[in-house]
Amino acid sequence: MAYLDRDEETICALTTGAGHSGVAVIRVSGPDSFARVKQLCSFLPEQPESHRLYYGLLKDRTQSSAIDEVLVSYFGHGRSYTGEETCEISCHGNPVLAAQILSELVSVGCRPAERGEFTFRAFLNGRIDLVQAESVLALIESSSKKAAQLSLDQLQGQLSQLFRAIEEDIVWILSRIEAEIDFSTEGLEIIQKEVLLDRLEKLLASIEKLITSYDVGRLITDGIKIVLAGKPNAGKSSLLNALIKSDRAIVSPKPGTTRDTVDVIYKVNGLTATLTDTAGIRQTEDEIEKLGVERSLRALQASDLVLYIVDANDLEVDHLSDMEQLKAQSTIVVLNKVDLVSGEKLKSLREKLGQYLSVEVSATLGTGLEALESKIAAHFRLESTDETTVIIHARHEKNLKLVHEALVRARRDFLDQMSSEFICLDLREALSGIGKILGRGLGEDVINLIFKDFCIGK
Ligand SMILES: Nc1nc2c(ncn2[C@@H]2O[C@H](COP(=O)(O)OP(=O)(O)OP(=O)(O)O)[C@@H](O)[C@H]2O)c(=O)[nH]1
Ligand SMILES: [Mg+2]
């Protein structure tokens, strides 16, 4: 997507979803958008008012046959989403009609928009920065309430503001050190040194906080991967069904029922997780079950959280060694089938499991599920998340880490009383890193890559 000369063309695309609906909206943006639309909509006035709706018949380019009854909204230059003159045609939500209107628009000189091109133009015209452009994409794609909330905050500029504050801090430090190089032969005064160092420390701390927030941010946007594991017959499939309140996985008293992994979408506390049921892990000669066990192990490795199910009625099996192996992994140990055992037995089980045990449930009766869900939520620290300071894009995390590294170098050189030129070099590198997050000084290829993920019409 080359972007030189791009904004001289007038582009068009369907901005609402494909398929049948009450209304569909076609967006036309660019310097000639009104003139082009007027060629099809003769009912439009010579001098339209911005943010006004006009109603009439949209006809083909020869104005001989009517295509649809439409509403045209007009947005003047500098007052639209893209920042360019824009018309939005609301027609009836029929894909055939929309395609016909688009083809008429192309015949009068518009070009079909590329992926993300409207948002791209908004970025080029300075209406939004790159962080906000990315949040448009994230908002459209968000699969949970929490992810949508975060993206909306970021679209409104909260995160950009934070990045700009970091940028200002770096500039503040840099300008003072540069001034010393220019005007002083004796280097920095002691007092100023302390002030600068203090500011640098605070800056580093706030960047570290942002970087760690990605642990949560990534989970919120990508969704959490939770895997149900345990011995055959422990009740993994029963628990999966109980959590999603649907008979999705096959349950049977025969050990080795689940062979393949089963993925389901599971909503927990406003978040979306993928819950995976796996084959019970055991030594087996059965070829198919063996493959199933391999898949279980792979799913375990890729998971963010393991729910390890222990059958309360099956004391003979030694689960403790399994749990030892799971130590490296985030695990919640779930004691299932507590409805089958006496209070006495439960007591001895608790003793046996000791520190491993986290929650007791009965998948069949549905008891203990709420406690399990709050453990899951607590594990991801979801309640304590300070929403506006969460980063959700890998690109931001990567660049922030570079900024952080450069600032750590600057601090080291500062403390080692290295020459100010060295310190400035690192500070400038940090500055360029933060600029890149906001979309400044980025190569066309990088920008294209970001907008490539958008869909047409956005
Ligand atoms: N009483 C009781 N029975 C349960 C409970 N959970 C599971 N079961 C029974 O235990 C048996 C095995 O349950 P599954 O859910 O198929 O167990 P699994 O761990 O998926 O087994 P595999 O897929 O073979 O590894 C079934 O007969 C279930 O009805 C429970 O909480 N209480
Ligand atoms: Mg099963």
Side-chain angles (χ1 to χ4, degrees):
M1 185 153 70
Y3 60 84
L4 295 172
D5 317 326
R6 292 164 54 109
D7 41 356
E8 281 159 28
E9 293 172 304
T10 292
I11 53 172
C12 61
L14 184 66
T15 59
T16 44
H20 294 266
S21 54
V23 181
V25 178
I26 292 167
R27 187 184 274 157
V28 186
S29 181
D32 298 325
S33 54
F34 183 74
R36 300 279 179 252
V37 172
K38 191 166 165 35
Q39 278 177 267
L40 306 178
C41 303
S42 55
F43 59 87
L44 289 171
E46 288 305 320
Q47 298 291 332
E49 267 175 58
S50 189
H51 293 68
R52 243 204 82 167
L53 277 179
Y54 297 94
Y55 163 79
L57 276 182
L58 185 146
K59 297 183 182 167
D60 69 355
R61 62 190 164 278
T62 60
Q63 291 293 291
S64 53
S65 60
I67 298 175
D68 195 9
E69 231 176 22
V70 298
L71 278 172
V72 174
S73 14
Y74 172 76
F75 304 91
H77 178 86
R79 297 195 60 197
S80 71
Y81 176 68
T82 57
E84 304 168 332
E85 183 182 85
T86 297
C87 291
E88 285 182 359
I89 304 169
S90 306
C91 62
H92 289 97
N94 177 335
V96 179
L97 268 181
Q100 216 179 332
I101 296 174
L102 281 169
S103 121
E104 291 298 330
L105 283 167
V106 170
S107 76
V108 296
C110 298
R111 165 170 73 70
E114 289 174 37
R115 288 176 172 274
E117 198 169 0
F118 293 114
T119 307
F120 181 79
R121 288 186 173 197
F123 165 65
L124 270 195
N125 293 324
R127 301 282 296 176
I128 52 175
D129 61 37
L130 199 52
V131 172
Q132 290 169 302
E134 285 166 319
S135 63
V136 172
L137 175 64
L139 187 58
I140 295 166
E141 298 208 321
S142 47
S143 54
S144 69
K145 226 164 77 186
K146 193 96 167 188
Q149 227 173 55
L150 271 177
S151 304
L152 185 64
D153 285 343
Q154 304 195 353
L155 175 60
Q156 289 171 336
Q158 259 105 320
L159 190 65
S160 307
Q161 247 165 39
L162 215 77
F163 289 138
R164 273 197 288 272
I166 292 175
E167 190 175 40
E168 277 167 25
D169 272 350
I170 304 174
V171 169
W172 188 89
I173 299 170
L174 183 63
S175 61
R176 267 145 194 89
I177 299 182
E178 275 179 341
E180 291 299 331
I181 301 174
D182 293 342
F183 302 114
S184 154
T185 47
E186 283 130 49
L188 290 165
E189 294 161 25
I190 302 294
I191 242 332
Q192 198 179 2
K193 251 188 178 167
E194 276 168 12
V195 176
L196 285 184
L197 202 58
D198 182 56
R199 191 101 174 217
L200 191 55
E201 294 290 358
K202 286 199 180 111
L203 189 56
L204 279 167
S206 72
I207 293 174
E208 277 153 24
K209 196 170 150 218
L210 269 180
I211 292 173
T212 29
S213 78
Y214 184 60
D215 289 346
V216 176
R218 180 184 64 81
L219 293 175
I220 292 172
T221 44
D222 292 358
I224 300 162
K225 290 195 197 76
I226 304 175
V227 172
L228 289 156
K231 299 283 185 216
N233 234 21
K236 302 177 290 299
S237 304
S238 305
L239 187 60
L240 174 120
N241 291 343
L243 286 172
I244 62 166
K245 298 178 186 72
S246 155
D247 273 342
R248 176 68 179 74
I250 299 173
V251 168
S252 100
K254 199 167 159 266
T257 306
T258 306
R259 298 295 179 90
D260 211 345
T261 49
V262 177
D263 286 348
V264 296
I265 298 294
Y266 168 52
K267 306 259 182 194
V268 57
N269 290 28
L271 279 135
T272 307
T274 312
L275 194 59
T276 306
D277 186 18
T278 62
I281 297 167
R282 66 168 169 186
Q283 294 289 345
T284 171
E285 290 312 311
D286 183 311
E287 275 306 312
I288 301 172
E289 198 181 345
K290 242 187 213 169
L291 291 173
V293 172
E294 277 171 30
R295 288 188 179 202
S296 304
L297 295 174
R298 273 206 301 276
L300 273 177
Q301 262 166 12
S303 69
D304 298 304
L305 177 66
V306 178
L307 302 184
Y308 185 83
I309 322 298
V310 181
D311 185 341
N313 208 25
D314 190 6
L315 266 169
E316 311 310 319
V317 183
D318 183 18
H319 301 94
L320 295 174
S321 68
D322 273 3
M323 283 179 250
E324 267 307 307
Q325 283 172 28
L326 279 170
K327 253 187 170 167
Q329 203 104 28
S330 306
T331 306
I332 293 178
V333 174
V334 183
L335 186 65
N336 186 31
K337 307 196 194 180
V338 290
D339 57 295
L340 290 182
V341 296
S342 64
E344 195 85 351
K345 203 168 174 187
L346 200 55
K347 223 172 121 195
S348 80
L349 267 171
R350 282 182 191 139
E351 270 165 28
K352 189 172 180 194
L353 291 170
Q355 27 118 0
Y356 292 112
L357 182 61
S358 345
V359 56
E360 296 166 9
V361 305
S362 162
T364 310
L365 300 182
T367 52
L369 297 184
E370 272 176 31
L372 173 59
E373 295 196 325
S374 56
K375 291 241 155 125
I376 295 173
H379 173 78
F380 292 107
R381 287 176 290 130
L382 303 174
E383 278 118 22
S384 62
T385 301
D386 177 0
E387 289 165 9
T388 49
T389 56
V390 172
I391 56 171
I392 56 173
H393 294 282
R395 193 183 73 82
H396 300 175
E397 191 223 19
K398 191 173 140 238
N399 278 299
L400 272 180
K401 279 186 169 162
L402 295 177
V403 172
H404 187 263
E405 280 166 24
L407 290 177
V408 166
R409 280 198 305 275
R411 178 179 58 186
R412 185 200 59 204
D413 291 350
F414 198 78
L415 292 171
D416 289 350
Q417 301 189 327
M418 299 283 280
S419 136
S420 298
E421 273 93 351
F422 278 120
I423 305 170
C424 288
L425 219 60
D426 290 327
L427 289 172
R428 263 188 231 109
E429 194 180 318
L431 200 57
S432 113
I434 206 86
K436 276 184 189 153
I437 296 179
L438 290 163
R440 295 189 207 115
L442 277 182
E444 198 176 315
D445 46 342
V446 180
I447 304 258
N448 286 345
L449 216 62
I450 293 166
F451 284 89
K452 189 187 93 286
D453 286 341
F454 276 65
C455 20
I456 306 272
K458 301 297 178 296

